[in-house]
Amino acid sequence: MPDQQPSATAVALTLVDELAAQGVTDVVVSPGSRSAPLSLAVAAHEGLRMHVRVDERSAAFLALGLARGAGRPTALVCSSGTATANYHPAVMEADAAGVGVIVLTADRPPELRDIGANQTATQQHLYGGAVRWFHEVSAGGDRPGAYLRSVVARAMALAAGGVAPAGPVHLNVPLREPLLDDTATALPGHPGGSTVAASPSARSGPASRMGDAGPDRAGPRPAGSAGTGAATWLPAPVEVLAGRRGLVIAGEGAVGGDDVLDVAAALGWPVLAEPTSGLRHRDPAIRTGHWLAASEAFVGGHRPEVVVQLGRPVLSRPVGAIVAGCEQVVVCDPLDRGWDPQRNARLVLPVAFAEWAAPAVDGAERVEGWLDAWRDADDRAGAVLDRLLDEGTDPTELGLVRDLARALPDDSVLTVASSLAIRHLNETMPVRNGLRVVGNRGVSGIDGFVSTAVGVALAHDGPAVALAGDLSMVHDMTGLVIGPDEPVPALPIVVINNDGGGIFDLLPYGSGVAPATFRRLFATPHGVPLGGLAITTGAGYLGLDEMADLPGALDDAWANPGITIVEVTTDTPTETARYHRIREAIAAELG
């Protein structure tokens, strides 16, 4: 590289300044040496909120949660070597879920690679196809400032999405020594230095030395801004939808809101909406879709002729069976993500459902009684569910999840772990307004849950709560390790502790396997005392003994700064038996 290449500090200041200019507000930093110029540049910028985490995996999921909560890309900074690999699980989730994260990995310069230099690894294309774009940053050429700013502008555009799905972007940043030079007097902590606000409106000091005019800064595109104009080749909606017995089935990543519910109501169709779809908030959304779909008698008399799939519904096997058994499945997705879990879609339309279907609504023929039959069955199934969950005062898994979804005030956000917790929410959550549900449903891992929930809560302006099983909690214990200088939300984490993976008792793995082997391989008991974990990490702790104590426990947790673990102890065999009892009772009711 030429001798006139800008210093590591100047490169870092320019990259970070342009992140802020492009609309990034939060940056998560993983401590390290090679990334020192980037980290110090973040700390110096008054327009950025910095978060520091020791564990890179937790740091990456924190960034993911911040991006989910705020609806805009966040940035990640780490040093070279194994630190970069620990970001990979969150990058995979961001890719599959369509969440914008800009990953900046510091690296050794090319001349130190492949010669045994310390802490040097192959970081080029580290995340494979999980990123929207990989670019190795250099700073050569006649206008290095303009180049660096254009790189960040492109990264932000791809991370924010629009015409294509949002997602992660990887910028690998080789930095030569000296990592801090004379321009470092602008960075905090440097001897004789002072903090400089390298804002986009008033760049000064070393930032101005690379302030060559870059691209116009339109900022990130708002969510849902993708062009959704119906193509002329799309089939006429009235021919596909009108006069048919149909269902709208929505999962994570569904595009649309009240407009979808309006069209479905006009067509006379029920909506089976998973909690993270954002559509279970008013009629014609159905609360007990999982239980109705599990009733052979009900499905036998109410099989749809058309299913419109929005997003990726995967939480309920009985609902999935309805989709698999329908001959006319229409997938509507303006981002064209290819989501067809049952592999039987007859029409895959790159357009928002409400926009395409609107012409079929006015004066469209409806199947009389179709929606009313689903509403009636929903009411009856819901009454059975609530009656059985209201037996006794001891906390139960399904009852606790239902009561939590009921108790949260308007403008709340609920971050739910994968595995059994999100399924229980899908099985019990009432149809209600004012509650946003977030979960890592891209690749549905339990890793990074605590950190994701903290990020969502930090980005949310209102009450926040998290719901997890004990394995999700234990898997991300380092998410509770938050330094005294870091922003921390008032966040109750409600943990259902059955000492292992209770979901496996509901899956077909136990037949023919010795109980001890089954428990060791699948339930994986851990024996971690959550109260002790709270003491070790400085979190609060509350044990919940009765269902009626839940609202008070939430209020106490919100009143205290920081994270509070609210533990509910349950027994998997008892809960599994209760689940099957509810399923059988609802089926008998619908007979």
Side-chain angles (χ1 to χ4, degrees):
M1 290 187 175
D3 294 337
Q4 65 269 27
Q5 180 186 6
S7 69
T9 301
V11 169
L13 283 165
T14 304
L15 290 172
V16 169
D17 185 52
E18 190 62 25
L19 284 172
Q22 290 290 333
V24 170
T25 59
D26 289 87
V27 181
V28 183
V29 172
S30 303
S33 174
R34 185 61 50 165
S35 57
L38 291 165
S39 301
L40 289 168
V42 173
H45 205 296
E46 292 183 353
L48 295 172
R49 182 168 64 162
M50 182 174 67
H51 312 261
V52 180
R53 293 296 186 274
V54 174
D55 182 346
E56 283 85 4
R57 186 181 69 177
S58 293
F61 277 102
L62 173 66
L64 181 74
L66 286 162
R68 280 189 176 278
R72 72 173 70 90
T74 55
L76 269 166
V77 171
C78 74
S79 191
S80 60
T82 59
T84 61
N86 284 292
Y87 282 173
H88 206 156
V91 169
M92 292 171 64
E93 174 64 28
D95 169 39
V99 178
V101 178
I102 300 174
V103 181
L104 290 88
T105 57
D107 199 358
R108 263 58 177 168
E111 63 267 21
L112 293 183
R113 297 171 188 166
D114 300 321
I115 61 172
N118 184 46
Q119 203 171 318
T120 302
T122 301
Q123 297 178 195
Q124 296 74 41
H125 299 284
L126 177 65
Y127 308 117
V131 294
R132 301 293 178 270
W133 183 46
F134 166 79
H135 183 74
E136 178 152 288
V137 175
S138 67
D142 297 332
R143 302 177 63 213
Y147 156 72
L148 291 171
R149 294 185 185 281
S150 69
V151 166
V152 175
R154 182 179 178 188
M156 188 65 173
L158 292 169
V163 176
V169 171
H170 179 200
L171 301 180
N172 194 53
V173 189
L175 296 171
R176 280 191 177 85
E177 295 183 356
L179 297 176
L180 301 180
D181 57 16
D182 58 343
T183 61
T185 56
L187 299 176
H190 188 277
S194 60
T195 300
V196 172
S199 67
S201 58
R203 296 188 179 92
S204 61
S208 65
R209 295 170 60 176
M210 296 185 65
D212 317 49
D216 292 336
R217 296 175 184 84
R221 282 165 284 192
S225 65
T228 57
T232 56
W233 59 266
L234 293 178
V238 67
E239 298 176 2
V240 179
L241 309 176
R244 306 284 185 87
R245 300 193 307 178
L247 290 177
V248 175
I249 298 179
E252 169 79 8
V255 174
D258 282 323
D259 54 351
V260 171
L261 297 172
D262 289 342
V263 169
L267 289 170
W269 288 14
V271 176
L272 277 57
E274 294 181 353
T276 58
S277 70
L279 291 172
R280 198 188 287 198
H281 64 266
R282 66 169 174 83
D283 186 76
I286 300 295
R287 174 194 181 194
T288 61
H290 168 78
W291 305 104
L292 300 184
S295 168
E296 294 182 5
F298 179 78
V299 172
H302 300 83
R303 199 172 298 279
E305 298 171 290
V306 181
V307 166
V308 171
Q309 177 191 300
L310 308 180
R312 183 174 48 190
V314 294
L315 289 178
S316 170
R317 291 192 177 196
V319 171
I322 289 180
V323 179
C326 183
E327 294 186 358
Q328 182 74 313
V329 176
V330 181
V331 174
C332 289
D333 183 10
L335 297 178
D336 194 21
R337 291 166 288 193
W339 286 350
D340 178 20
Q342 304 299 329
R343 298 186 64 84
N344 68 328
R346 297 293 298 276
L347 288 172
V348 180
L349 309 180
V351 66
F353 166 65
E355 181 180 348
W356 170 66
V361 171
D362 295 334
E365 180 185 356
R366 295 176 45 161
V367 176
E368 292 301 322
W370 173 248
L371 178 56
D372 289 340
W374 278 83
R375 286 172 173 154
D376 176 68
D378 188 35
D379 290 340
R380 291 160 61 195
V384 172
L385 175 64
D386 289 334
R387 172 173 57 81
L388 294 178
L389 294 183
D390 289 336
E391 294 179 346
T393 61
D394 293 339
T396 66
E397 292 179 2
L398 287 165
L400 173 79
V401 174
R402 177 202 61 178
D403 289 357
L404 179 63
R406 283 178 173 176
L408 294 178
D410 287 346
D411 299 321
S412 294
V413 62
L414 172 62
T415 305
V416 188
S418 293
S419 198
L420 199 56
I422 186 65
R423 285 170 173 80
H424 280 343
L425 189 67
N426 185 52
E427 291 153 6
T428 63
M429 178 180 166
V431 176
R432 58 155 294 183
N433 257 316
L435 176 62
R436 180 188 176 200
V437 179
V438 176
N440 284 338
R441 300 303 304 160
V443 285
S444 303
I446 66 170
D447 48 344
F449 168 73
V450 174
S451 302
T452 300
V454 170
V456 170
L458 284 171
H460 179 69
D461 185 18
V465 68
L467 172 67
D470 52 292
L471 287 185
S472 295
M473 186 73 208
V474 170
H475 205 288
D476 192 27
M477 287 189 290
T478 54
L480 297 173
V481 180
I482 304 174
D485 298 325
E486 301 306 313
V488 183
L491 176 67
I493 303 180
V494 179
V495 182
I496 299 172
N497 189 355
N498 51 30
D499 195 25
I503 189 173
F504 292 103
D505 277 45
L506 297 172
L507 298 176
Y509 301 142
S511 178
V513 178
T517 302
F518 175 82
R519 182 160 174 75
R520 184 181 180 191
L521 286 177
F522 296 101
T524 55
H526 51 83
V528 175
L530 297 187
L533 175 62
I535 292 173
T536 301
T537 58
Y541 174 82
L542 294 169
L544 196 68
D545 297 322
E546 294 188 1
M547 297 279 274
D549 295 337
L550 178 62
L554 295 176
D555 289 339
D556 289 345
W558 284 322
N560 294 319
I563 296 170
T564 301
I565 298 173
V566 181
E567 182 180 17
V568 182
T569 303
T570 63
D571 173 68
T572 292
T574 302
E575 296 298 332
T576 301
R578 179 178 289 109
Y579 173 90
H580 288 300
R581 182 184 172 201
I582 291 171
R583 178 170 176 161
E584 292 166 3
I586 291 176
E589 170 66 25
L590 300 175

